[in-house]
Amino acid sequence: MGNAINKKSLAGIAIFCAAAMSTNMTMGILALIMQTYSNVSPVTVQSVLVGPALGGTVFAFFVGNLNKRFAAKKLVIFAQCALLLYAVLFFMGGKVPIGVLIAASALAGFNQGSSNTLLGILMIDAVKDNQKRDSLIGIMSAVMNIGGVVFTTLGGIVAAGRWQNAYLLFGYYILAIVLELFLLPNVEPEGKDAPGKAAAVPVEKGGMGKVWAISIHYFFFFLWLYVFGTNCSEYIINTYKIGGSAEGGVAASCVTIGGIFAGILFGFYTRILGKYTVPCLMGLSVIGLAIPVFIHGSVFGIYAAGILLGFAMMGANPYIISYMQKIAPGAKYGKAMSIFVGFMNAGMVVAIYVIAFLTKLFFGDGAYVPGKFTVAFVGDIIVFITSFFIYAFGQKKE
């Protein structure tokens, strides 16, 4: 097969990626869910957003080992079947206790905890040439973000009449599963070393030790950046009163829009930046968090911040997916990605609590929104500086 691209497999991967971020839809209609469960603590209802990240954190650490027994294709379909059950239970919202929805949200963790790992494994088989694969991983990352925008937008429109109806959109997975059965490659489990043999990737120094360093570092990166998604609407509507719910929704969507641009331009800027790609993207995130800290009166400034943060997060992800193939090729790749995705999800799980604790420690009020952004800004500066030691220094010239 040489350097050929398996177009059939790529089509299946694109179908898988198109709805990988479908659960973001719940963020857009959370206020409506809270109205239905008005007799329940708002913090309890908000747990339906923590469930996917928590479930994803746990499941991510098992994906690598599961791939030693089950082909990636089967794991994709398993995760999507779990999402179908997730949608069915949310469609019953209002008729079931909030505890059922919180438990159901954990089902989304099977997808959230495995999508990046499975994308990398499937792409190794579908695209043999390393440079072509890097560019196409970026494109697939863009497809993920575009799908997230579509699901969130359509979900908001459908939810206007009855929020539960928004989960009818998850019927997409029925079609997706049928098509993936025919299109996705039957990548042999990792234990047979098939992905590693096909990839023939030059091995970088560091191995699993560097995998752990990258994963822990990225844990803090996601922790600090998650402050935007959980606080941007409150920042706009209540703190500085520079807009309403529409502007808050646009600000949240700007993160995904930034991710789309990052995926489309991935091959271009990685060729220019090389081993400095992740440090430069993390530098962009520092600029993004500086905007809400130092510029308070412009809603367009918040939009720009969201785009920069989305570009940074979603640009770094495909780079690391590719880089992991160099430092942990073959049978170690699934384990490496499991560790990375697990820590990434863990960052989202604890972000609300860590940032609130530090804000209370330094500003006296854990709910003080400007203080939250300041804490995250300082933390992100530290992440940016240390990124040079992890990614740039000691890495082979690309």
Side-chain angles (χ1 to χ4, degrees):
M1 192 171 175
N3 291 331
I5 296 175
N6 188 328
K7 295 181 180 179
K8 177 183 174 183
S9 297
L10 277 182
I13 294 170
I15 290 169
F16 154 61
C17 289
M21 297 175 66
S22 59
T23 52
N24 282 2
M25 185 186 76
T26 303
M27 296 177 66
I29 62 175
L30 182 61
L32 299 177
I33 297 175
M34 293 177 74
Q35 289 174 11
T36 300
Y37 293 94
S38 57
N39 60 329
V40 180
S41 165
V43 175
T44 301
V45 179
Q46 287 174 340
S47 296
V48 300
L49 299 181
V50 178
L54 181 59
T57 300
V58 175
F59 186 63
F61 288 108
F62 293 97
V63 175
N65 286 329
L66 286 172
N67 187 230
K68 293 179 180 178
R69 297 189 177 187
F70 304 100
K73 176 179 180 176
K74 293 180 180 178
L75 295 176
V76 167
I77 291 172
F78 167 75
Q80 293 183 344
C81 287
L83 282 171
L84 278 172
L85 180 55
Y86 159 89
V88 168
L89 292 172
F90 267 77
F91 183 73
M92 297 168 62
K95 298 179 181 179
V96 297
I98 187 63
V100 174
L101 298 191
I102 294 172
S105 70
L107 291 169
F110 290 116
N111 181 72
Q112 189 162 317
S114 64
S115 57
N116 281 322
T117 303
L118 297 176
L119 172 60
I121 292 170
L122 291 168
M123 288 297 291
I124 287 175
D125 182 82
V127 185
K128 306 305 178 183
D129 181 83
N130 299 332
Q131 289 185 342
K132 289 180 181 178
R133 187 191 310 125
D134 287 351
S135 295
L136 286 168
I137 285 176
I139 292 172
M140 291 302 169
S141 178
V143 171
M144 283 186 177
N145 285 280
I146 292 170
V149 171
V150 171
F151 263 83
T152 302
T153 304
L154 289 180
I157 294 171
V158 176
R162 180 177 180 270
W163 68 260
Q164 292 90 337
N165 290 343
Y167 291 91
L168 293 173
L169 295 176
F170 281 69
Y172 169 89
Y173 286 110
I174 298 174
L175 175 63
I177 289 170
V178 172
L179 292 175
E180 287 160 358
L181 286 170
F182 292 97
L183 297 173
L184 282 180
N186 286 305
V187 180
E188 290 191 28
E190 267 193 358
K192 300 178 183 179
D193 285 334
K197 290 178 181 178
V201 179
V203 180
E204 290 272 5
K205 292 181 179 180
M208 294 305 295
K210 195 158 190 178
V211 167
W212 281 96
I214 289 172
S215 302
I216 294 171
H217 184 260
Y218 213 72
F219 163 84
F220 287 102
F221 182 56
F222 248 62
L223 187 157
W224 303 129
L225 267 60
Y226 206 55
V227 73
F228 187 87
T230 54
N231 291 280
C232 64
S233 61
E234 186 176 355
Y235 183 98
I236 290 172
I237 299 169
N238 297 323
T239 305
Y240 291 106
K241 303 184 187 332
I242 54 178
S245 58
E247 286 78 10
V250 171
S253 296
C254 281
V255 175
T256 311
I257 293 170
I260 294 171
F261 284 119
I264 293 172
L265 299 173
F266 179 76
F268 171 74
Y269 62 77
T270 52
R271 283 194 296 270
I272 296 173
L273 298 175
K275 64 183 181 179
Y276 295 100
T277 296
V278 174
C280 287
L281 289 170
M282 291 184 172
L284 277 183
S285 73
V286 171
I287 297 172
L289 284 177
I291 294 175
V293 172
F294 298 108
I295 303 174
H296 305 147
S298 172
V299 70
F300 292 102
I302 299 301
Y303 295 165
I307 291 172
L308 288 173
L309 295 176
F311 196 104
M313 285 189 290
M314 304 307 177
N317 263 16
Y319 179 89
I320 293 173
I321 289 173
S322 298
Y323 187 48
M324 288 289 190
Q325 295 170 6
K326 299 177 184 178
I327 58 176
K332 292 182 179 179
Y333 177 72
K335 180 180 179 181
M337 284 301 301
S338 292
I339 294 169
F340 169 69
V341 175
F343 272 94
M344 181 177 71
N345 278 281
M348 290 187 283
V349 171
V350 305
I352 297 172
Y353 312 107
V354 171
I355 292 174
F357 170 77
L358 292 174
T359 303
K360 185 175 182 178
L361 183 65
F362 291 107
F363 294 92
D365 181 4
Y368 181 54
V369 174
K372 290 182 181 180
F373 276 98
T374 302
V375 166
F377 172 64
V378 173
D380 196 38
I381 290 175
I382 297 172
V383 168
F384 165 59
I385 293 171
T386 53
S387 68
F388 286 91
F389 296 93
I390 294 176
Y391 295 95
F393 304 153
Q395 188 184 142
K396 291 180 181 179
K397 185 178 180 180
E398 296 183 13

